[in-house]
């Protein structure tokens, strides 16, 4: 809508300073001609907006001009307060800062939008960690966050899964990611990814580093997740599933005469698949790989032997 686009132009110029028509058009995904028309509409409405010609020209607002948040829609106001995550902010040492910022934004909202914002805060609460995972202790998180913000080098003692487990590392922290209640720091050189809760000791230094200008944290994390998934499921298992039984990641479904379905499932390892498939009980039959089928057969035989005399020792 044109009204929301006009507000977007106003806020872009307010936050970024001078911008050319081409830059505004790219940001808003419209034509340059549309930007020209929108700028004329803003000027006609009394917004102190000026255009400078030349190579370094562009549109800008009169120095000191600020707009109130009257251009927000009710959905935008609700989303703004839904995005406020007090738990992670508090972990970063920014709980009071977030609260103060939300208070200022709320005061700037018109009465109707303020009601919408209060309603969303009272009806939705974000809790990222899973039910069966204990909260990670991250005592060094505020120091890591400070180093990320100020581009300071960190020297850490880090615990990894392989030997030697405790290693010293020099980190140039580019950014922090919160995934499923767990904090990760992405750091150079590399970059590489480290779990913040596995930092055993941390020493901040006054040494500064230059963050790569082209580094995109969100893009890096998407690629990291794809690579992690590819490395995680490097093997495959062929199984038969009873009617009504399903498995995530299953592919190549082939219905068989007895009503069962033959599928191929990516697996992380024989150990992991053994535990995962046993949970399905009699609803699954493993065909391949042979070592997985044999291991499950041994487990089932041991269980049968253990519970075979249940009526003698444990029953009535």
């Amino acid at each position: 809508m044109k009204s929301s686009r006009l507000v977007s132009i106003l806020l872009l110029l307010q936050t970024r300073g001078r911008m050319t028509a081409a830059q505004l058009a790219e940001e808003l995904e419209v034509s340059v001609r549309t930007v020209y028309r929108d700028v004329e509409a803003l000027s006609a409405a009394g917004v102190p907006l000026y255009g400078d010609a030349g190579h370094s020209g562009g549109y800008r607002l009169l120095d000191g001009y600020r707009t109130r948040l009257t251009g927000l829609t009710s959905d935008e106001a609700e989303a703004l307060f839904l995005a406020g995550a007090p738990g992670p902010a508090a972990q970063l040492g920014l709980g009071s800062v977030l609260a103060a910022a939300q208070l200022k934004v709320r005061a700037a909202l018109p009465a109707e939008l303020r009601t919408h914002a209060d309603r969303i805060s009272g009806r939705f609460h974000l809790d990222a960690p899973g039910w069966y995972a204990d909260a990670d202790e991250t005592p060094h998180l505020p120091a890591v966050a400070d180093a990320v913000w100020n581009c300071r080098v960190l020297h850490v003692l880090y615990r990894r899964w392989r030997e030697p487990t405790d290693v010293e590392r020099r980190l140039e922290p580019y950014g922090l990611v919160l995934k499923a209640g767990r904090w990760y720091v992405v750091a150079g050189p590399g970059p590489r990814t480290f779990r913040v809760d596995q930092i055993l000791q941390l020493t901040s230094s006054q040494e500064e580093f230059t963050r790569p200008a082209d580094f995109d944290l969100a893009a890096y994390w998407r690629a990291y997740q794809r690579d992690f998934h590819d490395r995680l499921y490097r093997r495959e298992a062929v199984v038969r599933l009873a009617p009504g039984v399903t498995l995530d990641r299953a592919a190549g479904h082939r219905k068989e005469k007895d009503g069962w379905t033959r599928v191929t499932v990516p697996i992380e390892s024989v150990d992991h698949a053994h535990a995962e498939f046993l949970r399905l009980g009699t609803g699954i039959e493993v065909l391949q790989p042979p070592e997985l089928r044999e291991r499950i057969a041994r487990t089932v035989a041991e269980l049968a032997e253990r519970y075979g005399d249940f009526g003698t020792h444990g029953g009535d």
Side-chain angles (χ1 to χ4, degrees), residues 218-236:
Y220 168 85
W221 187 255
R222 287 192 296 270
Y224 175 80
Q225 286 183 298
R226 287 194 300 268
D227 181 62
F228 178 80
H229 186 275
D230 291 342
R231 288 185 287 108
L232 188 64
Y233 299 110
R234 287 186 170 179
R235 304 189 63 182
E236 289 183 340

Side-chain angles (χ1 to χ4, degrees), residues 117-141:
D118 290 342
R119 183 175 64 181
I120 202 75
S121 296
R123 298 189 183 185
F124 293 92
H125 176 70
L126 303 181
D127 186 11
W131 278 108
Y132 303 107
D134 294 332
D136 293 328
E137 294 294 330
T138 53
H140 300 297
L141 180 61

Side-chain angles (χ1 to χ4, degrees), residues 7-199:
V7 173
S8 295
I9 291 177
L10 191 55
L11 294 177
L12 281 170
L13 295 176
Q14 183 171 297
T15 55
R16 300 190 187 181
R18 181 183 282 110
M19 294 183 69
T20 66
Q23 290 171 331
L24 288 168
E26 180 179 2
E27 186 75 28
L28 300 171
E29 299 182 348
V30 297
S31 67
V32 172
R33 185 179 296 275
T34 298
V35 171
Y36 290 152
R37 290 197 297 265
D38 289 346
V39 168
E40 291 177 0
L42 286 170
S43 297
V47 175
L49 186 150
Y50 297 92
D52 297 323
H55 178 71
S56 60
Y59 294 107
R60 63 182 180 86
L61 294 170
L62 182 68
D63 291 344
Y65 178 81
R66 307 289 291 178
T67 181
R68 288 172 58 82
L69 297 175
T70 53
L72 286 174
T73 66
S74 60
D75 288 342
E76 290 167 344
E78 291 174 356
L80 181 63
F81 277 78
L82 182 61
Q91 288 179 306
L92 290 169
L94 298 174
S96 60
V97 176
L98 174 64
Q102 287 189 329
L103 181 62
K104 291 178 181 178
V105 171
R106 185 180 181 279
L109 290 172
E112 180 183 355
L113 297 189
R114 193 179 307 133
T115 300
H116 281 285
D118 290 342
R119 183 175 64 181
I120 202 75
S121 296
R123 298 189 183 185
F124 293 92
H125 176 70
L126 303 181
D127 186 11
W131 278 108
Y132 303 107
D134 294 332
D136 293 328
E137 294 294 330
T138 53
H140 300 297
L141 180 61
V144 174
D146 183 72
V148 168
W149 185 251
N150 294 296
C151 294
R152 303 275 189 187
V153 171
L154 292 174
H155 296 276
V156 304
L157 180 64
Y158 185 76
R159 174 160 293 167
R160 59 183 185 177
W161 64 271
R162 64 178 183 272
E163 296 289 343
T165 55
D166 297 354
V167 294
E168 294 183 354
R169 290 289 183 263
R170 177 187 179 277
L171 305 183
E172 298 178 358
Y174 296 165
L176 279 165
V177 175
L178 178 62
K179 172 69 173 178
R182 178 170 290 159
W183 287 98
Y184 298 85
V185 58
V186 178
R192 298 176 62 190
T193 304
F194 301 85
R195 281 177 50 174
V196 177
D197 65 305
Q198 296 302 303
I199 295 178

